[in-house]
Amino acid sequence: MKNQTAKHTVLSGIRATGRLHLGNYLGAVKGMLELQDQPEYRTLYMVADLHTLTTPYQVAELRQNRREVLIDYLAAGLDPEKSILFLQADVNEHAELAYYFSSVTTVAKMQHLPTFKDKVKQYPEHVTMALLNYPVLMAADILIYKADSVPVGVDQEPHIEVAREIARRMNQDYGTAFPEPQRFVTPGGYVPSLTGEGKMSKSVEGSYIRLTDTLDEIRKKVRAVPTATTAGGAMPAGVEALFTFLELLAPEQVAAFKTAFDDGSLRFSELKDAVAEAIFAEVEPIQRRRAELEANPDYVNQVIANGAEQARAIAQATIREVREKMGF
Ligand code: TRP
């Protein structure tokens, strides 16, 4: 493990609401992969399973999904030799630190966050303390490892801001030494939906591609992206989405298609098939590695146990310091 010489600590996580899709992979996992190979970053990547409790969930599904997401991480190339890979709920200290942090966080501040308001609209019958506390738990995830860099999408910026505010308050009031974490911007930060509206999301049917989709399934979904009947002129959102995928996955092909679009000779079916093939070329090796991992549950169990042990060692040191400074 490279962490002895690292200057920065990186923490990131994805909620365990289901298997990862292409949006998670391009938007989050690719940035995580890039950072784990850089010696100046010590990298910790978790499955945010505690955060799953903030919206309605099924116990049996959570039990399975927290493991599935970790397998997706491994299949995508996150490497336990380079990064600490773990399940959030395996490290009790996150919940403990979140409780301490909740004492320096006002209810009013949490109620005003756009992410909170969105969820209230989505689940008006399920506005719980856990939901209100979502950003506080996220701050604990980050600060318990004194992480200063957080690779997440732009929609998470308000949560990183909350983590900074909590760090400042704790340092001021209790003399702790938390860093003020920054969002680490990665190229795939915005992955558009296949519907041509908004971002790729598991909760919008027809918007996303599964990492397990076959070339045929991918082709079918990409061919369904709404494009204009005539080329040229202002670029419709669906076409823009197709170009975004090309830029992320096959940048060398962008110029030729762009020229064709501008002079009106572009055939959308050709652009779509190029996008579908570029997507499949990216997910196919992940699918192969996943099949190997599924055949080797003992290895996966060992990764999960080792990751929890390594994460806990760091988290416990922070908790000791915080408890002492807070008067316990
Ligand atoms: N809120 C993040 C998301 O929805 C998931 C998350 C939970 C997270 N804890 C985190 C991301 C800590 C980064 C760091 O994407």
Side-chain angles (χ1 to χ4, degrees):
M1 178 98 36
K2 63 184 173 184
N3 51 19
Q4 264 68 28
T5 55
K7 284 198 219 56
H8 296 283
T9 298
V10 174
L11 182 286
S12 194
I14 298 176
R15 279 185 59 182
T17 46
R19 297 277 312 273
L20 299 190
H21 57 72
L22 189 69
N24 303 127
Y25 174 71
L26 294 176
V29 180
K30 272 202 124 174
M32 290 153 76
L33 283 166
E34 209 180 290
L35 286 166
Q36 82 168 352
D37 282 324
Q38 298 184 21
E40 63 270 36
Y41 292 95
R42 171 172 75 162
T43 44
L44 295 108
Y45 299 129
M46 61 171 203
V47 177
D49 50 4
L50 286 176
H51 275 104
T52 305
L53 273 52
T54 58
T55 47
Y57 80 102
Q58 301 293 326
V59 171
E61 277 175 23
L62 172 61
R63 198 169 277 140
Q64 191 178 351
N65 284 337
R66 61 201 294 266
R67 181 184 174 88
E68 296 292 332
V69 174
L70 195 106
I71 297 175
D72 280 336
Y73 279 176
L74 292 170
L78 293 183
D79 181 350
E81 301 291 323
K82 297 177 182 167
S83 299
I84 299 179
L85 306 178
F86 66 104
L87 308 181
Q88 181 190 27
D90 283 354
V91 184
N92 298 342
E93 288 78 6
H94 288 231
E96 184 177 352
L97 189 61
Y99 180 69
Y100 302 144
F101 282 179
S102 72
S103 71
V104 297
T105 310
T106 64
V107 171
K109 175 91 205 172
M110 296 299 98
Q111 282 173 325
H112 281 108
L113 288 173
T115 41
F116 177 73
K117 290 182 183 165
D118 287 349
K119 291 290 181 215
V120 169
K121 257 188 234 150
Q122 205 179 341
Y123 303 105
E125 309 292 315
H126 206 268
V127 184
T128 62
M129 293 300 292
L131 180 64
L132 191 64
N133 216 45
Y134 186 117
V136 179
L137 178 59
M138 183 162 160
D141 297 337
I142 297 166
L143 295 174
I144 205 162
Y145 304 105
K146 310 226 164 127
D148 54 12
S149 311
V150 187
V152 281
V154 63
D155 59 313
Q156 295 295 308
E157 185 60 53
H159 291 158
I160 310 286
E161 176 62 26
V162 169
R164 282 193 289 272
E165 282 167 21
I166 289 177
R168 277 197 293 272
R169 263 241 92 92
M170 289 296 297
N171 296 348
Q172 255 170 37
D173 294 359
Y174 298 106
T176 49
F178 289 115
E180 290 186 28
Q182 301 294 323
R183 186 166 79 90
F184 190 95
V185 182
T186 53
Y190 189 83
V191 182
S193 160
L194 297 177
T195 60
E197 257 176 72
K199 72 171 196 174
M200 188 175 282
S201 161
K202 229 163 348 201
S203 50
V204 182
E205 209 36 60
S207 89
Y208 66 95
I209 284 170
R210 289 186 195 84
L211 291 179
T212 49
D213 281 349
T214 62
L215 180 57
D216 274 347
E217 285 166 326
I218 295 171
R219 270 208 199 100
K220 223 170 126 195
K221 289 182 185 177
V222 174
R223 281 180 185 157
V225 172
T227 47
T229 43
T230 51
M235 196 179 275
V239 181
E240 213 174 296
L242 292 170
F243 273 104
T244 302
F245 286 115
L246 215 54
E247 265 155 30
L248 290 171
L249 296 167
E252 71 287 351
Q253 295 185 44
V254 171
F257 280 112
K258 195 80 210 306
T259 308
F261 178 80
D262 288 337
D263 68 23
S265 68
L266 175 66
R267 296 178 57 185
F268 288 122
S269 59
E270 282 173 20
L271 172 61
K272 285 176 169 176
D273 285 350
V275 168
E277 270 151 43
I279 291 173
F280 186 65
E282 190 84 13
V283 300
E284 201 230 23
I286 301 175
Q287 297 178 356
R288 262 188 283 116
R289 280 195 298 267
R290 200 177 209 288
E292 287 167 23
L293 290 160
E294 278 166 2
N296 200 348
D298 290 345
Y299 171 74
V300 175
N301 293 342
Q302 198 181 24
V303 168
I304 291 174
N306 289 345
E309 197 183 320
Q310 294 175 68
R312 252 182 239 133
I314 307 170
Q316 283 168 354
T318 304
I319 287 287
R320 268 197 297 277
E321 178 193 344
V322 169
R323 283 176 58 86
E324 200 271 316
K325 295 203 155 132
M326 290 186 85
F328 301 111

